[in-house]
Amino acid sequence: MSDFDSALRPESRIVHPPVPEVTGSRPMGVPLHQSHLFAFEDNDALTRAFAGPDEAFLYNRYGNPTVRSLEQAVAGLEGGAGAIATASGMGAINTVLLALLSSGDHVIAQRSLYGGTFAMLADLARRWGVEVTHVGGDDPEEVRAALRPNTRLLHLETISNPTTRVTDLPGLIGVAREAGVLSVVDNTFATPLLCRPIEHGADIVVHSATKYLGGHSDVLAGIAVFADPELHRTVWHYAVELGASADPHSAWLTLRGLQTLALRVRRHCESARELAGRLAGHPAVTGVHYPGLPAHPDHELARRLLPEGHGGVLAFDLAGGREAARAFTESVRLASLAPSLGGVHTLVLHPASTSHRQLDDAELAAAGIGPGTVRVAVGIEHPEDLWADLEQALAKA
Ligand code: PLP
């Protein structure tokens, strides 16, 4: 203890506990820097710290070492130059949209978007004068026809929810690139282990890290990864103003989950493929949506775009319609009736009455969602136990 410290009264000393520096060894776990503030010795260094994402840490809206560890880890996995971790997936999506769009700009977005993104784009159109055109995920010419002189962004999702259609990322992004339009891909369903959109020309990749990256249903987080360091810097400046930054503890939980991502994703994919095949042969089931099945409309595209596996989400249609779906989702015992996906637990959901309840019957039909469609976000339990659970619930449907 220095002379200065030992002269302090207890009331002052307890406010300033020692913060040991780690020297001579290194921590194996990523340290949790649960401090929103960093102090400087040198005022010029503090001034410089405000300038950009690679400067010294000063205040968590600007950056934090634990959060930076997550940003660098996911940027590395996605093949990006930098990343911004946020408080949720919607935080990442909205940070990107709000940083890059001005009123009068035009966005081309996929029709089958996550509901929160769809609603945000509708709000930007209604209140902020942003024009939005929705397109399918399989036809580059539809994107070309939708282009306008003021088109600024193309917003896509690698795999659609809940019908697991696979988007022709190279085709659609190629058209956007030719026109100088930035592409944003929500890669939540695929994870960077199954698909890396930047390799297909995307400028920005966003994730709900709440899902597979965190993977344990215990953290809400998001991340946006940028192919280009200048674009990263531009959005970072806006992110600092918006204030959607990830909390260090959330980043720490996400990092902890990320370390087992490869093992979990392999299990999610294998179990989903197995269950999809068995469901396809069940008499109560009239259709199964899983890109790993040869009958899926995007099976060939999925084999090229997702060669390592087709994800952990599947959907199936029950012959008995809405009532059968209710009976099924209320009868599962190992699986749980809950929204979300990507965690270790298997979850079931009836999209028409929950995640997609805002769509009318015609819109549901256009999205491929029937009254008896059930989504299964397959977890990492033993696949035989899962099948036994689904089978007993199917018997009640
Ligand atoms: N994108 C996709 C594909 C999602 O499924 C979700 C949430 O379900 C989100 C974004 C939003 O993520 P969050 O709930 O972390 O804000």
Side-chain angles (χ1 to χ4, degrees):
M1 195 182 294
S2 69
D3 289 350
F4 175 76
D5 289 329
S6 55
L8 292 172
R9 288 165 183 80
E11 290 88 334
S12 302
R13 234 190 274 161
I14 54 174
V15 178
H16 300 271
V19 183
E21 270 182 46
V22 181
T23 51
S25 63
R26 65 189 162 85
M28 290 298 291
V30 178
L32 169 55
H33 290 270
Q34 192 68 50
S35 176
H36 86 270
L37 192 58
F38 298 81
F40 289 73
E41 306 289 331
D42 167 351
N43 193 62
D44 291 343
L46 173 55
T47 304
R48 281 195 302 278
F50 285 94
D54 302 319
E55 306 296 339
F57 298 107
L58 78 146
Y59 186 79
N60 278 0
R61 248 183 318 105
Y62 294 74
N64 168 282
T66 310
V67 176
R68 181 65 44 80
S69 173
L70 175 63
E71 291 168 340
Q72 290 179 345
V74 179
L77 287 174
E78 287 286 5
I84 301 171
T86 52
S88 67
M90 286 314 298
I93 291 165
N94 289 333
T95 298
V96 167
L97 293 177
L98 295 176
L100 297 177
L101 292 173
S102 304
S103 65
D105 283 345
H106 175 233
V107 180
I108 303 175
Q110 228 172 310
R111 207 164 279 121
S112 58
L113 285 180
Y114 171 64
T117 312
F118 198 94
M120 185 63 187
L121 286 171
D123 191 56
L124 286 172
R126 196 171 51 245
R127 299 199 302 134
W128 304 103
V130 170
E131 300 168 11
V132 183
T133 305
H134 289 285
V135 296
D138 56 353
D139 184 5
E141 292 314 311
E142 196 185 355
V143 173
R144 198 184 305 282
L147 286 169
R148 298 179 191 168
N150 57 338
T151 306
R152 174 89 171 121
L153 287 183
L154 172 67
H155 193 104
L156 306 172
E157 291 181 3
T158 314
I159 302 174
S160 77
N161 176 34
T163 54
T164 67
R165 294 297 305 263
V166 180
T167 301
D168 178 6
L169 294 183
L172 271 58
I173 292 171
V175 171
R177 282 195 89 79
E178 275 172 36
V181 169
L182 294 173
S183 298
V184 184
V185 177
D186 185 330
N187 200 30
T188 300
F189 273 50
T191 83
L193 296 182
L194 301 182
C195 181
R196 284 168 295 283
I198 289 172
E199 290 175 2
H200 302 292
D203 298 286
I204 303 172
V205 179
V206 291
H207 281 275
S208 168
T210 313
K211 310 298 185 319
Y212 291 102
L213 304 187
H216 294 76
S217 311
D218 54 8
V219 61
L220 193 72
I223 194 157
V225 180
F226 302 85
D228 171 49
E230 274 315 304
L231 192 58
H232 175 218
R233 182 171 278 269
T234 302
V235 177
W236 178 84
H237 279 285
Y238 189 83
V240 168
E241 291 167 17
L242 190 65
S245 14
D247 180 76
H249 187 239
S250 300
W252 184 83
L253 281 170
T254 309
L255 275 162
R256 188 183 159 102
L258 197 63
Q259 289 174 312
T260 55
L261 182 68
L263 300 175
R264 288 185 286 108
V265 164
R266 192 181 315 143
R267 175 75 161 209
H268 286 297
C269 292
E270 285 169 5
S271 295
R273 173 69 184 80
E274 181 61 30
L275 295 177
R278 293 192 193 188
L279 283 163
H282 195 282
V285 173
T286 55
V288 179
H289 311 266
Y290 187 67
L293 294 183
H296 188 280
D298 305 319
H299 182 62
E300 275 313 307
L301 174 63
R303 280 162 58 104
R304 277 185 279 124
L305 204 62
L306 308 161
E308 306 288 327
H310 302 104
V313 176
L314 63 88
F316 62 93
D317 305 316
L318 281 167
R322 192 172 278 257
E323 276 316 305
R326 173 194 284 274
F328 175 86
T329 55
E330 292 179 355
S331 300
V332 287
R333 291 206 295 255
L334 178 59
S336 303
L337 169 57
S340 201
L341 60 118
V344 292
H345 317 99
T346 295
L347 308 174
V348 300
L349 189 72
H350 178 238
S353 59
T354 58
S355 55
H356 291 68
R357 68 198 176 286
Q358 72 280 13
L359 304 189
D360 62 29
D361 287 348
E363 288 168 328
L364 283 172
I369 303 168
T373 302
V374 173
R375 184 183 83 176
V376 185
V378 179
I380 64 166
E381 302 92 337
H382 196 289
E384 292 300 341
D385 290 335
L386 284 174
W387 177 244
D389 190 33
L390 298 190
E391 245 190 338
Q392 66 79 25
L394 282 167
K396 296 179 181 128

